[in-house]
Amino acid sequence: MQIGTSLTHCLIEKQQAHPDASGEFTLLMNDIVSACKVISSYVNKGNLIGILGSAETENVQGETQKKLDIISNDVFTDTLMQGTQVAALASEEMDDVYHLPANAKRGKYLCVYDPLDGSSNIDVNVTVGTIFSVLRAPEGVENPSEQDFLQPGTTQVAAGYCIYGPSTIMVLTTGEGVNGFTLDMDIGEFKLTHPNITIPEDTKEFAINMSNQRFWDAPVKRYIDECLIGKEGPRGKDFNMRWVASMVAEVHRILTRGGVFLYPIDSKIRAQGGKLRLMYEANPMAMIVEQAGGMAITGPERIMDIKPHKLHQRVPVILGSKNEVQILSDYHKA
Ligand code: P6P
């Protein structure tokens, strides 16, 4: 596909490449794209329309919700429900599975999403994004249950994110590589700008919240210490560090120029299993990273092999440039 091709054209071309395709997935993707365009518009307007700040409510994570968290969740949920391609929905911002109204037409997919990841940054105008994962719904089930969502990452039909930064960029994989599309806001169209994204296998850049250093387990301590020693040490090169506190921004940087992102288990969050959520942060990002030639693990195991046991389950996340993540994998096995 040529640079500048519209996302709509690319989706239809992909459908045509699968003769048995019904067009339902294309419709679902179109709904996701529409929802992200609306969220992008709200994010870009921010305080101009008084939607920044906290909503004085908490989500299931116990996190204070931003007004834009709720607005983004409503936009994504309503757009997909009305698009008739899903049988149920789940979101970081909703405690339970969202069941469609009794008279609503059901589709053959499930979608689980973080409608505005990194939203703690929204009030300080730092990049945020929407993360989504598409799964198959069970056949003949009117209202899929939480159990129906608890599929390992390897079963994802598609995964993607829309990053609301200096540009709004939709990054998407359906299991055949990763492509990025930039929103041309003058005409409201996403255009192919990043075809066949590939993560460099090596890097000199790591991303971790260093304030948690005293809580880390030995393998992560060892790896970060070696990065900080630099070229005089066993890694033989100096490293740079980044931490945006917005996973979408970190992953997008890694897709663009390489790097390794770590939100590992530590003694402070061990009881809850980790910080990031498996179903709508770790799994979709892991599919994208693997499809771009990178690696995504919890430390001891591949993220996409995990059999989920609850909808808002948290896991440790280490992902990025394959050769660096492999070192961390080896350290967890040592
Ligand atoms: P901390 C945002 O809240 C998020 O879920 C990820 O996007 C981000 O990587 C992480 O949490 C930031 O966590 O502990 O640095 O605020």
Side-chain angles (χ1 to χ4, degrees):
M1 289 175 214
Q2 279 191 334
I3 297 283
T5 304
S6 75
L7 176 47
T8 307
H9 181 101
C10 293
L11 287 170
I12 294 170
E13 202 170 276
K14 189 172 284 291
Q15 175 188 326
Q16 291 175 334
H18 296 274
D20 57 343
S22 64
E24 292 165 277
F25 176 74
T26 302
L27 279 173
L28 171 60
M29 283 314 307
N30 192 63
D31 294 338
I32 289 172
V33 167
S34 299
C36 289
K37 286 181 186 175
V38 174
I39 295 170
S40 174
S41 170
Y42 277 126
V43 167
N44 291 334
K45 288 188 176 63
N47 248 351
L48 288 173
I49 52 176
I51 54 175
L52 296 189
S54 293
E56 312 310 326
T57 54
E58 279 193 355
N59 61 18
V60 66
Q61 331 287 339
E63 296 163 344
T64 302
Q65 291 175 302
K66 300 289 187 184
K67 291 175 191 165
L68 263 175
D69 279 325
I70 295 170
I71 292 168
S72 302
N73 186 64
D74 291 349
V75 167
F76 211 89
T77 303
D78 294 348
T79 305
L80 269 63
M81 186 270 286
Q82 290 157 18
T84 73
Q85 302 310 313
V86 294
L89 296 166
S91 163
E92 182 195 42
E93 301 304 334
M94 299 189 288
D95 298 3
D96 305 310
V97 168
Y98 175 87
H99 288 140
L100 277 57
N103 59 347
K105 181 174 179 295
R106 269 88 168 137
K108 64 184 183 183
Y109 296 105
L110 303 175
C111 192
V112 53
Y113 42 94
D114 182 354
L116 203 63
D117 181 68
S119 56
S120 57
N121 288 305
I122 198 78
D123 294 347
V124 294
N125 202 37
V126 169
T127 295
V128 293
T130 299
I131 310 172
F132 59 87
S133 170
V134 178
L135 302 165
R136 285 183 183 77
E139 287 190 25
V141 176
E142 178 82 1
N143 288 310
S145 67
E146 175 170 334
Q147 195 59 40
D148 294 315
F149 278 84
L150 301 182
Q151 305 175 33
T154 48
T155 67
Q156 293 176 101
V157 176
Y161 62 80
C162 193
I163 182 169
Y164 312 115
S167 293
T168 289
I169 300 175
M170 174 75 74
V171 172
L172 177 62
T173 183
T174 57
E176 298 168 327
V178 181
N179 293 297
F181 303 82
T182 300
L183 181 61
D184 180 339
M185 298 198 184
D186 293 335
I187 60 171
E189 183 69 77
F190 279 102
K191 292 183 176 177
L192 181 65
T193 48
H194 302 70
N196 302 315
I197 297 175
T198 304
I199 300 176
E201 294 188 347
D202 295 296
T203 184
K204 296 179 180 178
E205 197 160 67
F206 67 89
I208 194 166
N209 183 336
M210 288 296 285
S211 70
N212 297 319
Q213 186 171 27
R214 62 191 181 284
F215 306 118
W216 296 339
D217 287 351
V220 171
K221 274 192 174 62
R222 176 182 175 190
Y223 178 79
I224 298 297
D225 284 349
E226 291 177 356
C227 289
L228 295 174
I229 293 168
K231 59 176 176 289
E232 307 305 324
R235 307 307 321 285
K237 55 187 176 181
D238 290 338
F239 279 76
N240 198 3
M241 197 200 94
R242 289 285 181 273
W243 190 250
V244 184
S246 175
M247 188 185 195
V248 174
E250 319 276 9
V251 171
H252 193 73
R253 184 187 60 249
I254 288 169
L255 284 174
T256 307
R257 68 185 192 210
V260 57
F261 168 86
L262 305 91
Y263 213 113
I265 198 71
D266 66 34
S267 55
K268 185 175 68 169
I269 55 174
R270 197 181 309 282
Q272 65 187 43
K275 160 86 185 228
L276 303 179
R277 276 62 57 139
L278 174 61
M279 296 304 294
Y280 39 82
E281 288 176 321
N283 265 341
M285 291 310 203
M287 181 177 183
I288 292 166
V289 165
E290 288 196 4
Q291 281 290 315
M295 219 173 138
I297 61 175
T298 60
E301 65 180 315
R302 181 188 182 208
I303 288 173
M304 290 219 286
D305 287 338
I306 297 172
K307 177 66 179 84
H309 59 264
K310 60 180 182 179
L311 188 60
H312 298 290
Q313 177 176 341
R314 296 174 188 261
V315 292
V317 176
I318 298 173
L319 56 78
S321 293
K322 186 167 65 172
N323 293 343
E324 285 302 317
V325 177
Q326 184 58 57
I327 290 170
L328 277 148
S329 176
D330 296 342
Y331 285 4
H332 280 83
K333 294 185 170 74

